[in-house]
Amino acid sequence: MGFGISTILHGVLAFFIVIELGLTGYMVSVTDDDWSRTPSRFSFMLFNSIWSILVLAYIALTPRFLERFYHGLVALGLLAVTTLFWFAGSIALAVWIGVGRCRGNHFCQSIQAAVAFGFFIWALFTALAVLAGLGAFRGGARADTTRKPSQPVV
């Protein structure tokens, strides 16, 4: 992956994930009371946000600061699973809300915004997964290309 485009994608993705985390946290807090249960779609999208922060930390920070613990195929697998999570969660939330007319209902508008940001995040993770996949298939994820030149080959 190129340094410029991946860094920009990581930054935009981090910004969108923080927005999604706020929206889904609000949705869960509003629906979580003594009389009703939070819909599983809301909880899953909250999980997606937290999971994505961890995945983004691995794929963005590990190659720069802890390169010994970074592997291209692990990053590709994490990106593929995260992409699938966002697609499934966004579809489930979109089906749940439907084509509603919120008419000033802030909770309904928050759900619609969470759906929109969920699809944006899905598209960005898809782009990162494609870039990571291209890098892996070009040989960038091979173990013999990730070692330091001074390290002996085992």
Side-chain angles (χ1 to χ4, degrees):
M1 288 190 287
F3 178 76
I5 190 73
S6 65
T7 304
I8 292 169
L9 285 175
H10 293 156
V12 170
L13 196 52
F15 180 68
F16 283 175
I17 290 171
V18 168
I19 292 172
E20 184 74 19
L21 182 63
L23 289 169
T24 55
Y26 171 70
M27 292 167 12
V28 167
S29 72
V30 165
T31 58
D32 186 32
D33 60 9
D34 294 335
W35 303 105
S36 66
R37 293 182 50 197
T38 300
S40 60
R41 291 159 182 89
F42 296 176
S43 300
F44 184 66
M45 290 298 275
L46 183 61
F47 163 78
N48 277 348
S49 299
I50 296 167
W51 167 264
S52 297
I53 290 170
L54 298 174
V55 169
L56 190 60
Y58 178 77
I59 64 171
L61 301 177
T62 305
R64 289 179 177 89
F65 301 112
L66 300 167
E67 47 187 85
R68 182 177 188 185
F69 297 108
Y70 182 80
H71 195 280
L73 291 179
V74 172
L76 177 61
L78 287 172
L79 287 169
V81 167
T82 305
T83 300
L84 182 64
F85 283 174
W86 277 107
F87 185 71
S90 299
I91 290 291
L93 197 58
V95 167
W96 189 83
I97 191 67
V99 184
R101 293 181 175 86
C102 291
R103 301 187 198 282
N105 182 347
H106 296 296
F107 181 69
C108 178
Q109 291 171 340
S110 296
I111 297 172
Q112 288 177 337
V115 169
F117 277 103
F119 280 114
F120 290 146
I121 293 168
W122 166 74
L124 291 171
F125 269 116
T126 301
L128 284 175
V130 167
L131 290 174
L134 291 174
F137 289 122
R138 279 184 293 182
R142 291 191 337 233
D144 62 343
T145 60
T146 56
R147 68 176 180 83
K148 300 246 190 241
S150 62
Q151 292 176 334
V153 177
V154 178

